[in-house]
Amino acid sequence: MNRAVDFVFRGQLDCDSFIGFVRHRAGRLDLDLRIDDCSESAVAVHVAGQEDLVDMFEMACSLGPYDCIVLDVSRAESRLTPVRQD
């Protein structure tokens, strides 16, 4: 079953590092990805794909890259399908 989800990762984040990490994870999991917003305290993304892989994406990104500290993740179901970013 496919699912589209909006995530907001909050914490102490480096935009370039976190976005690179998110893109890499989405690519490995074959998920469609759209970056909605990025700051030092929050990154908003939209992903779509197989339900179990979306869950794996959330778990991987909640751990973040070594130079970012993710303190909180919010998740909302979405009906929108993003344009694939590679």
Side-chain angles (χ1 to χ4, degrees), residues 5-59:
V5 179
D6 296 315
F7 289 105
V8 178
F9 298 91
R10 291 181 181 83
Q12 299 170 5
L13 308 172
D14 175 276
C15 280
D16 290 336
S17 179
F18 198 80
I19 287 174
F21 186 85
V22 164
R23 285 187 173 138
H24 182 259
R25 292 305 177 270
R28 289 194 58 126
L29 297 169
D30 196 30
L31 298 173
D32 290 334
L33 170 70
R34 184 186 70 227
I35 308 295
D36 290 333
D37 193 27
C38 188
S39 72
E40 292 179 358
S41 60
V43 175
V45 300
H46 177 87
V47 296
Q50 186 179 347
E51 184 173 4
D52 291 342
L53 299 177
V54 171
D55 293 342
M56 291 173 73
F57 173 86
E58 178 181 9
M59 179 59 71

